Amino acid sequence: MKILVTGGTGYIGSHTVVELQNYGYEVVIVDNLSNSYPEVVDNIAKITGKKPAFEKFDLTEYGKTKTFFEKHPDVEAMIHFAAYKAVGESVANPLKYYDNNLRSLINLLSCMKDHRAHALVFSSSCTVYGQPEQLPVSEDSPIQKAWSPYGNTKQISEEIIHDSINAHEGINGIALRYFNPIGAHDSALIGEYPIGVPDNLVPYITQTAIGKREALRVFGNDYDTPDGTPIRDYIHVVDLAKAHVIAVDRFIKEKNKKRFEVFNLGTGRGNTVLEVVNAFERVSGEKLNYKIVDRRQGDVEKVWADTSFANKELGWKAERDLDDMMRTAWQWEKALAEKENKQ
Ligand code: UD1
């Protein structure tokens, strides 16, 4: 059974390819390597004992996407990770985000209706909820006006998928709304590898501890939370990856049901920024250099997931705790540093 994974050399994509292959699925990755490296394919092979097929091209090119499906008529389902995801950059360059994130999705959906691939799992985000009025936030909570073009592409993409499924018999979709994925594979062979200065908290922490950055800036400590820093629902990337295998399985087993579903993927627990820093210091034995600075524009105060729908419907539950997330993130950062020192 062949599954297309777009963005399969990226952070969440690569962990998902590992879990799909471990489960027995055959994977073909499509990635333009705009934010990842070809060695990831070899590292997936080291972990799973099997090298996934890999094709480098840009899904915004309709002709190439169409040719891909002609070449792989046996693709049954696809998981679409490939997208830009830097919130700040999307504010500075919105057209880049709308063009890339929406065009690739539209091309995939156009090809899907003409080919055997009948199911799409889409990488969405809890960003669609903005600052929810009620916590934990369930899938029924109102979608709020997006705070960034990046967030808007996620909202529009969900609508595009929903409308396409309504219009075309026989295609199905699942949008997975991720909370904050962190951590790395236990092998330390794959993990998050941001190009340039990281935007996200955990790569910033590990890069500071390894000496690549001087100090973590904690964006605000005057929020209405126990220690004043914002709360997020951090989830181990391997737990997240496993949910994708279950989502794909749901399509394969229940083939011809026409529907669009949405699931929250988080742990159901929230942690403050300082709790994350403490967990890092505890598991790494390193003292982290950090300073409190002003709030970052666009940050919500607190958000964590109501995961009961995913727990019940998918039979899935996040299993790994914050210490485990920080331990694996740190192992990965150290492995990267070792590799870079050798070069
Ligand atoms: C946001 C989106 C998420 C999106 C992601 C893409 C929300 C709730 N989440 O995640 O859907 O996929 O961007 O990048 O909108 N922090 C610091 N110092 C740093 C970096 C971060 O203090 O150097 C703090 C932030 O203020 C925040 C927390 O750490 O409270 C997590 O930040 P980050 O890792 O950037 O993720 P989100 O902004 O939550």
Side-chain angles (χ1 to χ4, degrees), residues 85 87 125-127 150 180 199-201 216-219 230 232 234 273 296 299 303:
K85 63 164 190 132
V87 176
S125 166
C126 70
T127 195
Y150 156 76
N180 286 59
D199 283 319
N200 298 109
L201 177 64
L216 170 74
R217 289 168 304 153
V218 173
F219 297 130
R232 296 287 183 274
Y234 296 93
V273 174
R296 180 171 70 176
D299 271 346
V303 62

mmCIF file with all atom_site columns, all heavy atoms in Angstrom, residues 85 87 125-127 150 180 199-201 216-219 230 232 234 273 296 299 303, ligand 1:
data_model
loop_
_atom_site.group_PDB
_atom_site.id
_atom_site.type_symbol
_atom_site.label_atom_id
_atom_site.label_alt_id
_atom_site.label_comp_id
_atom_site.label_asym_id
_atom_site.label_entity_id
_atom_site.label_seq_id
_atom_site.pdbx_PDB_ins_code
_atom_site.Cartn_x
_atom_site.Cartn_y
_atom_site.Cartn_z
_atom_site.occupancy
_atom_site.B_iso_or_equiv
_atom_site.pdbx_formal_charge
_atom_site.auth_seq_id
_atom_site.auth_comp_id
_atom_site.auth_asym_id
_atom_site.auth_atom_id
_atom_site.pdbx_PDB_model_num
ATOM   1   N N   . LYS A 1 85  ? 6.084  27.720 7.088  1.00 0.00 ? 85  LYS A N   1
ATOM   2   C CA  . LYS A 1 85  ? 5.463  27.783 8.417  1.00 0.00 ? 85  LYS A CA  1
ATOM   3   C C   . LYS A 1 85  ? 6.018  28.850 9.355  1.00 0.00 ? 85  LYS A C   1
ATOM   4   O O   . LYS A 1 85  ? 5.748  28.826 10.559 1.00 0.00 ? 85  LYS A O   1
ATOM   5   C CB  . LYS A 1 85  ? 5.576  26.424 9.090  1.00 0.00 ? 85  LYS A CB  1
ATOM   6   C CG  . LYS A 1 85  ? 7.021  26.017 9.331  1.00 0.00 ? 85  LYS A CG  1
ATOM   7   C CD  . LYS A 1 85  ? 7.123  24.897 10.328 1.00 0.00 ? 85  LYS A CD  1
ATOM   8   C CE  . LYS A 1 85  ? 8.560  24.696 10.725 1.00 0.00 ? 85  LYS A CE  1
ATOM   9   N NZ  . LYS A 1 85  ? 8.827  24.601 12.100 1.00 0.00 ? 85  LYS A NZ  1
ATOM   10  N N   . VAL A 1 87  ? 5.779  32.162 11.007 1.00 0.00 ? 87  VAL A N   1
ATOM   11  C CA  . VAL A 1 87  ? 4.716  33.147 11.203 1.00 0.00 ? 87  VAL A CA  1
ATOM   12  C C   . VAL A 1 87  ? 5.190  34.561 10.807 1.00 0.00 ? 87  VAL A C   1
ATOM   13  O O   . VAL A 1 87  ? 4.516  35.253 10.044 1.00 0.00 ? 87  VAL A O   1
ATOM   14  C CB  . VAL A 1 87  ? 4.242  33.120 12.675 1.00 0.00 ? 87  VAL A CB  1
ATOM   15  C CG1 . VAL A 1 87  ? 3.206  34.198 12.936 1.00 0.00 ? 87  VAL A CG1 1
ATOM   16  C CG2 . VAL A 1 87  ? 3.690  31.743 13.027 1.00 0.00 ? 87  VAL A CG2 1
ATOM   17  N N   . SER A 1 125 ? -3.244 23.331 12.141 1.00 0.00 ? 125 SER A N   1
ATOM   18  C CA  . SER A 1 125 ? -2.606 23.881 13.339 1.00 0.00 ? 125 SER A CA  1
ATOM   19  C C   . SER A 1 125 ? -3.640 24.425 14.306 1.00 0.00 ? 125 SER A C   1
ATOM   20  O O   . SER A 1 125 ? -4.701 24.918 13.894 1.00 0.00 ? 125 SER A O   1
ATOM   21  C CB  . SER A 1 125 ? -1.672 25.009 12.899 1.00 0.00 ? 125 SER A CB  1
ATOM   22  O OG  . SER A 1 125 ? -1.279 25.770 14.012 1.00 0.00 ? 125 SER A OG  1
ATOM   23  N N   . CYS A 1 126 ? -3.285 24.384 15.586 1.00 0.00 ? 126 CYS A N   1
ATOM   24  C CA  . CYS A 1 126 ? -4.167 24.977 16.599 1.00 0.00 ? 126 CYS A CA  1
ATOM   25  C C   . CYS A 1 126 ? -4.228 26.488 16.455 1.00 0.00 ? 126 CYS A C   1
ATOM   26  O O   . CYS A 1 126 ? -5.030 27.140 17.121 1.00 0.00 ? 126 CYS A O   1
ATOM   27  C CB  . CYS A 1 126 ? -3.690 24.603 17.990 1.00 0.00 ? 126 CYS A CB  1
ATOM   28  S SG  . CYS A 1 126 ? -2.147 25.412 18.449 1.00 0.00 ? 126 CYS A SG  1
ATOM   29  N N   . THR A 1 127 ? -3.400 27.022 15.586 1.00 0.00 ? 127 THR A N   1
ATOM   30  C CA  . THR A 1 127 ? -3.423 28.467 15.360 1.00 0.00 ? 127 THR A CA  1
ATOM   31  C C   . THR A 1 127 ? -4.803 28.913 14.857 1.00 0.00 ? 127 THR A C   1
ATOM   32  O O   . THR A 1 127 ? -5.185 30.067 15.039 1.00 0.00 ? 127 THR A O   1
ATOM   33  C CB  . THR A 1 127 ? -2.292 28.886 14.390 1.00 0.00 ? 127 THR A CB  1
ATOM   34  O OG1 . THR A 1 127 ? -2.110 30.278 14.465 1.00 0.00 ? 127 THR A OG1 1
ATOM   35  C CG2 . THR A 1 127 ? -2.558 28.489 12.967 1.00 0.00 ? 127 THR A CG2 1
ATOM   36  N N   . TYR A 1 150 ? 0.281  33.034 7.540  1.00 0.00 ? 150 TYR A N   1
ATOM   37  C CA  . TYR A 1 150 ? 0.529  31.604 7.724  1.00 0.00 ? 150 TYR A CA  1
ATOM   38  C C   . TYR A 1 150 ? -0.725 30.927 8.279  1.00 0.00 ? 150 TYR A C   1
ATOM   39  O O   . TYR A 1 150 ? -1.206 29.926 7.749  1.00 0.00 ? 150 TYR A O   1
ATOM   40  C CB  . TYR A 1 150 ? 1.719  31.385 8.677  1.00 0.00 ? 150 TYR A CB  1
ATOM   41  C CG  . TYR A 1 150 ? 1.691  30.040 9.354  1.00 0.00 ? 150 TYR A CG  1
ATOM   42  C CD1 . TYR A 1 150 ? 2.051  28.890 8.673  1.00 0.00 ? 150 TYR A CD1 1
ATOM   43  C CD2 . TYR A 1 150 ? 1.250  29.914 10.682 1.00 0.00 ? 150 TYR A CD2 1
ATOM   44  C CE1 . TYR A 1 150 ? 1.980  27.646 9.288  1.00 0.00 ? 150 TYR A CE1 1
ATOM   45  C CE2 . TYR A 1 150 ? 1.177  28.684 11.299 1.00 0.00 ? 150 TYR A CE2 1
ATOM   46  C CZ  . TYR A 1 150 ? 1.538  27.554 10.603 1.00 0.00 ? 150 TYR A CZ  1
ATOM   47  O OH  . TYR A 1 150 ? 1.451  26.330 11.214 1.00 0.00 ? 150 TYR A OH  1
ATOM   48  N N   . ASN A 1 180 ? 1.827  22.045 19.857 1.00 0.00 ? 180 ASN A N   1
ATOM   49  C CA  . ASN A 1 180 ? 3.237  22.427 19.651 1.00 0.00 ? 180 ASN A CA  1
ATOM   50  C C   . ASN A 1 180 ? 4.150  21.200 19.617 1.00 0.00 ? 180 ASN A C   1
ATOM   51  O O   . ASN A 1 180 ? 4.567  20.721 20.674 1.00 0.00 ? 180 ASN A O   1
ATOM   52  C CB  . ASN A 1 180 ? 3.684  23.393 20.753 1.00 0.00 ? 180 ASN A CB  1
ATOM   53  C CG  . ASN A 1 180 ? 3.109  24.776 20.570 1.00 0.00 ? 180 ASN A CG  1
ATOM   54  O OD1 . ASN A 1 180 ? 1.891  24.946 20.532 1.00 0.00 ? 180 ASN A OD1 1
ATOM   55  N ND2 . ASN A 1 180 ? 3.965  25.770 20.427 1.00 0.00 ? 180 ASN A ND2 1
ATOM   56  N N   . ASP A 1 199 ? 12.677 30.189 15.080 1.00 0.00 ? 199 ASP A N   1
ATOM   57  C CA  . ASP A 1 199 ? 11.557 30.983 15.599 1.00 0.00 ? 199 ASP A CA  1
ATOM   58  C C   . ASP A 1 199 ? 10.977 30.308 16.832 1.00 0.00 ? 199 ASP A C   1
ATOM   59  O O   . ASP A 1 199 ? 10.440 30.965 17.711 1.00 0.00 ? 199 ASP A O   1
ATOM   60  C CB  . ASP A 1 199 ? 10.412 31.025 14.561 1.00 0.00 ? 199 ASP A CB  1
ATOM   61  C CG  . ASP A 1 199 ? 10.706 31.975 13.433 1.00 0.00 ? 199 ASP A CG  1
ATOM   62  O OD1 . ASP A 1 199 ? 11.221 33.056 13.716 1.00 0.00 ? 199 ASP A OD1 1
ATOM   63  O OD2 . ASP A 1 199 ? 10.417 31.614 12.269 1.00 0.00 ? 199 ASP A OD2 1
ATOM   64  N N   . ASN A 1 200 ? 11.042 28.992 16.833 1.00 0.00 ? 200 ASN A N   1
ATOM   65  C CA  . ASN A 1 200 ? 10.313 28.230 17.849 1.00 0.00 ? 200 ASN A CA  1
ATOM   66  C C   . ASN A 1 200 ? 11.134 28.021 19.112 1.00 0.00 ? 200 ASN A C   1
ATOM   67  O O   . ASN A 1 200 ? 12.368 28.062 19.092 1.00 0.00 ? 200 ASN A O   1
ATOM   68  C CB  . ASN A 1 200 ? 9.851  26.883 17.271 1.00 0.00 ? 200 ASN A CB  1
ATOM   69  C CG  . ASN A 1 200 ? 8.889  27.075 16.121 1.00 0.00 ? 200 ASN A CG  1
ATOM   70  O OD1 . ASN A 1 200 ? 9.229  26.836 14.967 1.00 0.00 ? 200 ASN A OD1 1
ATOM   71  N ND2 . ASN A 1 200 ? 7.707  27.547 16.420 1.00 0.00 ? 200 ASN A ND2 1
ATOM   72  N N   . LEU A 1 201 ? 10.423 27.790 20.201 1.00 0.00 ? 201 LEU A N   1
ATOM   73  C CA  . LEU A 1 201 ? 11.042 27.784 21.522 1.00 0.00 ? 201 LEU A CA  1
ATOM   74  C C   . LEU A 1 201 ? 12.117 26.707 21.704 1.00 0.00 ? 201 LEU A C   1
ATOM   75  O O   . LEU A 1 201 ? 13.246 27.015 22.121 1.00 0.00 ? 201 LEU A O   1
ATOM   76  C CB  . LEU A 1 201 ? 9.940  27.605 22.583 1.00 0.00 ? 201 LEU A CB  1
ATOM   77  C CG  . LEU A 1 201 ? 10.419 27.508 24.022 1.00 0.00 ? 201 LEU A CG  1
ATOM   78  C CD1 . LEU A 1 201 ? 11.087 28.796 24.471 1.00 0.00 ? 201 LEU A CD1 1
ATOM   79  C CD2 . LEU A 1 201 ? 9.244  27.156 24.950 1.00 0.00 ? 201 LEU A CD2 1
ATOM   80  N N   . LEU A 1 216 ? 18.417 32.655 25.423 1.00 0.00 ? 216 LEU A N   1
ATOM   81  C CA  . LEU A 1 216 ? 17.013 32.560 25.035 1.00 0.00 ? 216 LEU A CA  1
ATOM   82  C C   . LEU A 1 216 ? 16.311 33.827 25.497 1.00 0.00 ? 216 LEU A C   1
ATOM   83  O O   . LEU A 1 216 ? 16.499 34.267 26.637 1.00 0.00 ? 216 LEU A O   1
ATOM   84  C CB  . LEU A 1 216 ? 16.361 31.347 25.714 1.00 0.00 ? 216 LEU A CB  1
ATOM   85  C CG  . LEU A 1 216 ? 14.831 31.286 25.580 1.00 0.00 ? 216 LEU A CG  1
ATOM   86  C CD1 . LEU A 1 216 ? 14.419 30.890 24.166 1.00 0.00 ? 216 LEU A CD1 1
ATOM   87  C CD2 . LEU A 1 216 ? 14.228 30.328 26.599 1.00 0.00 ? 216 LEU A CD2 1
ATOM   88  N N   . ARG A 1 217 ? 15.521 34.416 24.622 1.00 0.00 ? 217 ARG A N   1
ATOM   89  C CA  . ARG A 1 217 ? 14.674 35.529 25.049 1.00 0.00 ? 217 ARG A CA  1
ATOM   90  C C   . ARG A 1 217 ? 13.304 34.957 25.366 1.00 0.00 ? 217 ARG A C   1
ATOM   91  O O   . ARG A 1 217 ? 12.670 34.341 24.497 1.00 0.00 ? 217 ARG A O   1
ATOM   92  C CB  . ARG A 1 217 ? 14.549 36.569 23.928 1.00 0.00 ? 217 ARG A CB  1
ATOM   93  C CG  . ARG A 1 217 ? 15.849 37.345 23.695 1.00 0.00 ? 217 ARG A CG  1
ATOM   94  C CD  . ARG A 1 217 ? 15.781 38.150 22.416 1.00 0.00 ? 217 ARG A CD  1
ATOM   95  N NE  . ARG A 1 217 ? 15.468 37.277 21.283 1.00 0.00 ? 217 ARG A NE  1
ATOM   96  C CZ  . ARG A 1 217 ? 14.849 37.670 20.175 1.00 0.00 ? 217 ARG A CZ  1
ATOM   97  N NH1 . ARG A 1 217 ? 14.466 38.911 20.025 1.00 0.00 ? 217 ARG A NH1 1
ATOM   98  N NH2 . ARG A 1 217 ? 14.608 36.808 19.197 1.00 0.00 ? 217 ARG A NH2 1
ATOM   99  N N   . VAL A 1 218 ? 12.866 35.118 26.598 1.00 0.00 ? 218 VAL A N   1
ATOM   100 C CA  . VAL A 1 218 ? 11.526 34.671 26.986 1.00 0.00 ? 218 VAL A CA  1
ATOM   101 C C   . VAL A 1 218 ? 10.588 35.851 26.729 1.00 0.00 ? 218 VAL A C   1
ATOM   102 O O   . VAL A 1 218 ? 10.739 36.914 27.332 1.00 0.00 ? 218 VAL A O   1
ATOM   103 C CB  . VAL A 1 218 ? 11.500 34.230 28.467 1.00 0.00 ? 218 VAL A CB  1
ATOM   104 C CG1 . VAL A 1 218 ? 10.079 33.927 28.909 1.00 0.00 ? 218 VAL A CG1 1
ATOM   105 C CG2 . VAL A 1 218 ? 12.412 33.026 28.670 1.00 0.00 ? 218 VAL A CG2 1
ATOM   106 N N   . PHE A 1 219 ? 9.640  35.611 25.825 1.00 0.00 ? 219 PHE A N   1
ATOM   107 C CA  . PHE A 1 219 ? 8.810  36.732 25.363 1.00 0.00 ? 219 PHE A CA  1
ATOM   108 C C   . PHE A 1 219 ? 7.662  37.043 26.325 1.00 0.00 ? 219 PHE A C   1
ATOM   109 O O   . PHE A 1 219 ? 6.537  36.618 26.106 1.00 0.00 ? 219 PHE A O   1
ATOM   110 C CB  . PHE A 1 219 ? 8.253  36.428 23.962 1.00 0.00 ? 219 PHE A CB  1
ATOM   111 C CG  . PHE A 1 219 ? 9.314  36.286 22.895 1.00 0.00 ? 219 PHE A CG  1
ATOM   112 C CD1 . PHE A 1 219 ? 9.317  35.183 22.041 1.00 0.00 ? 219 PHE A CD1 1
ATOM   113 C CD2 . PHE A 1 219 ? 10.293 37.259 22.732 1.00 0.00 ? 219 PHE A CD2 1
ATOM   114 C CE1 . PHE A 1 219 ? 10.271 35.059 21.043 1.00 0.00 ? 219 PHE A CE1 1
ATOM   115 C CE2 . PHE A 1 219 ? 11.255 37.149 21.737 1.00 0.00 ? 219 PHE A CE2 1
ATOM   116 C CZ  . PHE A 1 219 ? 11.252 36.032 20.894 1.00 0.00 ? 219 PHE A CZ  1
ATOM   117 N N   . PRO A 1 230 ? 3.607  32.416 28.728 1.00 0.00 ? 230 PRO A N   1
ATOM   118 C CA  . PRO A 1 230 ? 2.484  31.783 28.024 1.00 0.00 ? 230 PRO A CA  1
ATOM   119 C C   . PRO A 1 230 ? 2.467  30.256 28.136 1.00 0.00 ? 230 PRO A C   1
ATOM   120 O O   . PRO A 1 230 ? 3.508  29.628 28.310 1.00 0.00 ? 230 PRO A O   1
ATOM   121 C CB  . PRO A 1 230 ? 2.710  32.199 26.561 1.00 0.00 ? 230 PRO A CB  1
ATOM   122 C CG  . PRO A 1 230 ? 3.640  33.333 26.590 1.00 0.00 ? 230 PRO A CG  1
ATOM   123 C CD  . PRO A 1 230 ? 4.472  33.183 27.815 1.00 0.00 ? 230 PRO A CD  1
ATOM   124 N N   . ARG A 1 232 ? 1.452  26.563 26.424 1.00 0.00 ? 232 ARG A N   1
ATOM   125 C CA  . ARG A 1 232 ? 1.194  25.810 25.194 1.00 0.00 ? 232 ARG A CA  1
ATOM   126 C C   . ARG A 1 232 ? 1.084  24.329 25.538 1.00 0.00 ? 232 ARG A C   1
ATOM   127 O O   . ARG A 1 232 ? 1.594  23.878 26.565 1.00 0.00 ? 232 ARG A O   1
ATOM   128 C CB  . ARG A 1 232 ? 2.358  25.969 24.198 1.00 0.00 ? 232 ARG A CB  1
ATOM   129 C CG  . ARG A 1 232 ? 2.587  27.368 23.686 1.00 0.00 ? 232 ARG A CG  1
ATOM   130 C CD  . ARG A 1 232 ? 1.512  27.799 22.706 1.00 0.00 ? 232 ARG A CD  1
ATOM   131 N NE  . ARG A 1 232 ? 1.788  29.130 22.177 1.00 0.00 ? 232 ARG A NE  1
ATOM   132 C CZ  . ARG A 1 232 ? 1.420  30.265 22.780 1.00 0.00 ? 232 ARG A CZ  1
ATOM   133 N NH1 . ARG A 1 232 ? 0.762  30.232 23.924 1.00 0.00 ? 232 ARG A NH1 1
ATOM   134 N NH2 . ARG A 1 232 ? 1.687  31.431 22.224 1.00 0.00 ? 232 ARG A NH2 1
ATOM   135 N N   . TYR A 1 234 ? 2.590  21.178 24.513 1.00 0.00 ? 234 TYR A N   1
ATOM   136 C CA  . TYR A 1 234 ? 3.734  20.604 23.788 1.00 0.00 ? 234 TYR A CA  1
ATOM   137 C C   . TYR A 1 234 ? 3.526  19.107 23.636 1.00 0.00 ? 234 TYR A C   1
ATOM   138 O O   . TYR A 1 234 ? 3.166  18.429 24.603 1.00 0.00 ? 234 TYR A O   1
ATOM   139 C CB  . TYR A 1 234 ? 5.044  20.906 24.539 1.00 0.00 ? 234 TYR A CB  1
ATOM   140 C CG  . TYR A 1 234 ? 5.332  22.392 24.596 1.00 0.00 ? 234 TYR A CG  1
ATOM   141 C CD1 . TYR A 1 234 ? 4.925  23.168 25.687 1.00 0.00 ? 234 TYR A CD1 1
ATOM   142 C CD2 . TYR A 1 234 ? 5.945  23.035 23.521 1.00 0.00 ? 234 TYR A CD2 1
ATOM   143 C CE1 . TYR A 1 234 ? 5.145  24.536 25.710 1.00 0.00 ? 234 TYR A CE1 1
ATOM   144 C CE2 . TYR A 1 234 ? 6.173  24.403 23.548 1.00 0.00 ? 234 TYR A CE2 1
ATOM   145 C CZ  . TYR A 1 234 ? 5.772  25.146 24.636 1.00 0.00 ? 234 TYR A CZ  1
ATOM   146 O OH  . TYR A 1 234 ? 5.986  26.506 24.656 1.00 0.00 ? 234 TYR A OH  1
ATOM   147 N N   . VAL A 1 273 ? 6.348  28.632 29.401 1.00 0.00 ? 273 VAL A N   1
ATOM   148 C CA  . VAL A 1 273 ? 7.694  28.683 28.819 1.00 0.00 ? 273 VAL A CA  1
ATOM   149 C C   . VAL A 1 273 ? 8.738  28.336 29.894 1.00 0.00 ? 273 VAL A C   1
ATOM   150 O O   . VAL A 1 273 ? 9.669  27.557 29.642 1.00 0.00 ? 273 VAL A O   1
ATOM   151 C CB  . VAL A 1 273 ? 7.971  30.085 28.221 1.00 0.00 ? 273 VAL A CB  1
ATOM   152 C CG1 . VAL A 1 273 ? 9.412  30.201 27.748 1.00 0.00 ? 273 VAL A CG1 1
ATOM   153 C CG2 . VAL A 1 273 ? 7.011  30.374 27.076 1.00 0.00 ? 273 VAL A CG2 1
ATOM   154 N N   . ARG A 1 296 ? 6.078  38.926 22.478 1.00 0.00 ? 296 ARG A N   1
ATOM   155 C CA  . ARG A 1 296 ? 6.200  38.841 21.017 1.00 0.00 ? 296 ARG A CA  1
ATOM   156 C C   . ARG A 1 296 ? 4.819  39.114 20.429 1.00 0.00 ? 296 ARG A C   1
ATOM   157 O O   . ARG A 1 296 ? 3.824  38.512 20.865 1.00 0.00 ? 296 ARG A O   1
ATOM   158 C CB  . ARG A 1 296 ? 6.682  37.436 20.631 1.00 0.00 ? 296 ARG A CB  1
ATOM   159 C CG  . ARG A 1 296 ? 6.838  37.218 19.147 1.00 0.00 ? 296 ARG A CG  1
ATOM   160 C CD  . ARG A 1 296 ? 7.522  35.893 18.850 1.00 0.00 ? 296 ARG A CD  1
ATOM   161 N NE  . ARG A 1 296 ? 6.692  34.729 19.145 1.00 0.00 ? 296 ARG A NE  1
ATOM   162 C CZ  . ARG A 1 296 ? 7.055  33.477 18.902 1.00 0.00 ? 296 ARG A CZ  1
ATOM   163 N NH1 . ARG A 1 296 ? 8.235  33.204 18.379 1.00 0.00 ? 296 ARG A NH1 1
ATOM   164 N NH2 . ARG A 1 296 ? 6.255  32.477 19.198 1.00 0.00 ? 296 ARG A NH2 1
ATOM   165 N N   . ASP A 1 299 ? 1.490  36.536 19.852 1.00 0.00 ? 299 ASP A N   1
ATOM   166 C CA  . ASP A 1 299 ? 1.443  35.351 20.706 1.00 0.00 ? 299 ASP A CA  1
ATOM   167 C C   . ASP A 1 299 ? 0.131  35.310 21.493 1.00 0.00 ? 299 ASP A C   1
ATOM   168 O O   . ASP A 1 299 ? -0.279 36.328 22.052 1.00 0.00 ? 299 ASP A O   1
ATOM   169 C CB  . ASP A 1 299 ? 2.601  35.377 21.730 1.00 0.00 ? 299 ASP A CB  1
ATOM   170 C CG  . ASP A 1 299 ? 3.856  34.712 21.197 1.00 0.00 ? 299 ASP A CG  1
ATOM   171 O OD1 . ASP A 1 299 ? 3.772  34.014 20.167 1.00 0.00 ? 299 ASP A OD1 1
ATOM   172 O OD2 . ASP A 1 299 ? 4.921  34.889 21.812 1.00 0.00 ? 299 ASP A OD2 1
ATOM   173 N N   . VAL A 1 303 ? -3.080 28.168 25.441 1.00 0.00 ? 303 VAL A N   1
ATOM   174 C CA  . VAL A 1 303 ? -3.899 27.251 24.652 1.00 0.00 ? 303 VAL A CA  1
ATOM   175 C C   . VAL A 1 303 ? -3.445 25.825 24.913 1.00 0.00 ? 303 VAL A C   1
ATOM   176 O O   . VAL A 1 303 ? -2.247 25.544 24.972 1.00 0.00 ? 303 VAL A O   1
ATOM   177 C CB  . VAL A 1 303 ? -3.851 27.615 23.139 1.00 0.00 ? 303 VAL A CB  1
ATOM   178 C CG1 . VAL A 1 303 ? -2.454 27.515 22.554 1.00 0.00 ? 303 VAL A CG1 1
ATOM   179 C CG2 . VAL A 1 303 ? -4.822 26.768 22.334 1.00 0.00 ? 303 VAL A CG2 1
HETATM 180 C C1  . UD1 B 2 .   ? 2.839  29.027 16.638 1.00 0.00 ? 1   UD1 B C1  1
HETATM 181 C C2  . UD1 B 2 .   ? 1.473  28.465 16.369 1.00 0.00 ? 1   UD1 B C2  1
HETATM 182 C C3  . UD1 B 2 .   ? 1.568  27.119 15.728 1.00 0.00 ? 1   UD1 B C3  1
HETATM 183 C C4  . UD1 B 2 .   ? 2.456  27.193 14.522 1.00 0.00 ? 1   UD1 B C4  1
HETATM 184 C C5  . UD1 B 2 .   ? 3.817  27.677 14.925 1.00 0.00 ? 1   UD1 B C5  1
HETATM 185 C C6  . UD1 B 2 .   ? 4.699  27.792 13.693 1.00 0.00 ? 1   UD1 B C6  1
HETATM 186 C C7  . UD1 B 2 .   ? -0.183 29.190 18.038 1.00 0.00 ? 1   UD1 B C7  1
HETATM 187 C C8  . UD1 B 2 .   ? -0.857 28.898 19.342 1.00 0.00 ? 1   UD1 B C8  1
HETATM 188 N N1  . UD1 B 2 .   ? 0.715  28.300 17.620 1.00 0.00 ? 1   UD1 B N1  1
HETATM 189 O O1  . UD1 B 2 .   ? 3.367  28.319 17.693 1.00 0.00 ? 1   UD1 B O1  1
HETATM 190 O O2  . UD1 B 2 .   ? 0.304  26.695 15.349 1.00 0.00 ? 1   UD1 B O2  1
HETATM 191 O O3  . UD1 B 2 .   ? 2.539  25.942 13.917 1.00 0.00 ? 1   UD1 B O3  1
HETATM 192 O O4  . UD1 B 2 .   ? 3.688  28.962 15.523 1.00 0.00 ? 1   UD1 B O4  1
HETATM 193 O O5  . UD1 B 2 .   ? 5.961  28.282 14.017 1.00 0.00 ? 1   UD1 B O5  1
HETATM 194 O O6  . UD1 B 2 .   ? -0.448 30.166 17.385 1.00 0.00 ? 1   UD1 B O6  1
HETATM 195 N N2  . UD1 B 2 .   ? 9.022  31.673 22.933 1.00 0.00 ? 1   UD1 B N2  1
HETATM 196 C C9  . UD1 B 2 .   ? 9.956  32.399 23.658 1.00 0.00 ? 1   UD1 B C9  1
HETATM 197 N N3  . UD1 B 2 .   ? 11.169 32.633 23.094 1.00 0.00 ? 1   UD1 B N3  1
HETATM 198 C C10 . UD1 B 2 .   ? 11.515 32.172 21.855 1.00 0.00 ? 1   UD1 B C10 1
HETATM 199 C C11 . UD1 B 2 .   ? 10.561 31.423 21.116 1.00 0.00 ? 1   UD1 B C11 1
HETATM 200 C C12 . UD1 B 2 .   ? 9.316  31.219 21.691 1.00 0.00 ? 1   UD1 B C12 1
HETATM 201 O O7  . UD1 B 2 .   ? 9.690  32.831 24.784 1.00 0.00 ? 1   UD1 B O7  1
HETATM 202 O O8  . UD1 B 2 .   ? 12.629 32.433 21.380 1.00 0.00 ? 1   UD1 B O8  1
HETATM 203 C C13 . UD1 B 2 .   ? 7.701  31.388 23.539 1.00 0.00 ? 1   UD1 B C13 1
HETATM 204 C C14 . UD1 B 2 .   ? 6.544  31.996 22.783 1.00 0.00 ? 1   UD1 B C14 1
HETATM 205 O O9  . UD1 B 2 .   ? 6.245  33.270 23.281 1.00 0.00 ? 1   UD1 B O9  1
HETATM 206 C C15 . UD1 B 2 .   ? 5.445  30.974 23.066 1.00 0.00 ? 1   UD1 B C15 1
HETATM 207 C C16 . UD1 B 2 .   ? 6.171  29.654 23.258 1.00 0.00 ? 1   UD1 B C16 1
HETATM 208 O O10 . UD1 B 2 .   ? 7.530  30.003 23.509 1.00 0.00 ? 1   UD1 B O10 1
HETATM 209 O O11 . UD1 B 2 .   ? 4.810  31.290 24.273 1.00 0.00 ? 1   UD1 B O11 1
HETATM 210 C C17 . UD1 B 2 .   ? 6.101  28.766 22.037 1.00 0.00 ? 1   UD1 B C17 1
HETATM 211 O O12 . UD1 B 2 .   ? 6.494  29.511 20.900 1.00 0.00 ? 1   UD1 B O12 1
HETATM 212 P P1  . UD1 B 2 .   ? 6.769  28.816 19.488 1.00 0.00 ? 1   UD1 B P1  1
HETATM 213 O O13 . UD1 B 2 .   ? 7.629  27.614 19.666 1.00 0.00 ? 1   UD1 B O13 1
HETATM 214 O O14 . UD1 B 2 .   ? 7.242  29.880 18.557 1.00 0.00 ? 1   UD1 B O14 1
HETATM 215 O O15 . UD1 B 2 .   ? 5.357  28.275 19.049 1.00 0.00 ? 1   UD1 B O15 1
HETATM 216 P P2  . UD1 B 2 .   ? 3.935  29.033 18.966 1.00 0.00 ? 1   UD1 B P2  1
HETATM 217 O O16 . UD1 B 2 .   ? 4.107  30.468 18.746 1.00 0.00 ? 1   UD1 B O16 1
HETATM 218 O O17 . UD1 B 2 .   ? 3.116  28.575 20.104 1.00 0.00 ? 1   UD1 B O17 1
#
